[in-house]
Amino acid sequence: MKALNEKVAKLDKSALPSVLHIDKVADQIQVIANGSQDLSLSGVTNPAADKTGEWWRTVDFEQLLVWNPDIIIIPAYATDLNPKDFFNNPVLASLKAVKEKRVYKQPIFARTPDAPEIFLTSEWLAAVAHGADFAPTFKKQILDNYKLIYGAELKDDQVAAILETESNAPASRYAELFQ
């Protein structure tokens, strides 16, 4: 985390990418407004954050268009939602994140906030937002941490499943980020 903090500290705070966590898309859209993750650790902002302290907000498509996030993150627990759901939705086609194919499904380790490996989420998000230089050894970190925490020697296909590689295949540069 120290190396990540140093890289994030060098970013122009006025130009940080906006990241919106969306976990439901229907007539209304459910977003994470004030989640437990400190997004500033990854060098991003959340346009839905407010002072209410409420975790979720339900918004309409118009509000989503006003926010026009740079990146959309689908939480790992939203098992019925994938990037292609956004890319194939004509109503969402004008969103910057959709146009640039920057909609990503969070890795499995982010499924619950009390998972022992949840700390990996900040580096994953920094890599998605700013490039592989922000987490250059991320795959090794996964391997090392799963070995330490669970005693598991992961195979490549298991790491790919953890990273939601298949779900994220249509997203911009995902495969290159986490080779």
Side-chain angles (χ1 to χ4, degrees), residues 42-89:
S42 301
V44 300
T45 62
N46 178 0
D50 59 21
K51 298 191 184 316
T52 66
E54 291 181 26
W55 191 290
W56 286 283
R57 284 179 65 187
T58 301
V59 299
D60 55 27
F61 285 99
E62 289 78 16
Q63 180 61 60
L64 190 58
L65 293 171
V66 169
W67 285 330
N68 197 21
D70 297 308
I71 300 167
I72 294 172
I73 300 297
I74 303 165
Y77 62 80
T79 57
D80 60 338
L81 201 55
N82 288 295
K84 68 180 177 184
D85 298 322
F86 287 81
F87 302 143
N88 295 335
N89 187 326

Side-chain angles (χ1 to χ4, degrees), residues 35-172:
S36 60
Q37 184 183 3
D38 181 357
L39 298 181
S40 69
L41 295 173
S42 301
V44 300
T45 62
N46 178 0
D50 59 21
K51 298 191 184 316
T52 66
E54 291 181 26
W55 191 290
W56 286 283
R57 284 179 65 187
T58 301
V59 299
D60 55 27
F61 285 99
E62 289 78 16
Q63 180 61 60
L64 190 58
L65 293 171
V66 169
W67 285 330
N68 197 21
D70 297 308
I71 300 167
I72 294 172
I73 300 297
I74 303 165
Y77 62 80
T79 57
D80 60 338
L81 201 55
N82 288 295
K84 68 180 177 184
D85 298 322
F86 287 81
F87 302 143
N88 295 335
N89 187 326
V91 175
L92 302 175
S94 65
L95 289 173
K96 182 177 182 181
V98 174
K99 281 195 267 186
E100 296 179 2
K101 298 227 181 271
R102 296 193 77 192
V103 178
Y104 306 95
K105 179 86 169 203
Q106 273 186 324
I108 302 267
F109 55 71
R111 191 160 283 185
T112 64
D114 59 351
E117 66 277 21
I118 192 70
F119 66 92
L120 293 169
T121 307
S122 293
E123 291 199 46
W124 174 85
L125 182 55
V128 163
H130 305 291
D133 290 347
F134 276 72
T137 61
F138 194 69
K139 189 173 176 183
K140 182 179 179 337
Q141 284 179 272
I142 291 172
L143 293 169
D144 292 348
N145 282 288
Y146 273 72
K147 172 84 170 146
L148 177 69
I149 296 168
Y150 301 110
E153 298 268 351
L154 298 178
K155 308 250 186 286
D156 285 343
D157 62 328
Q158 292 171 309
V159 174
I162 289 167
L163 287 170
E164 291 282 357
T165 303
E166 186 176 328
S167 295
N168 285 311
S172 177

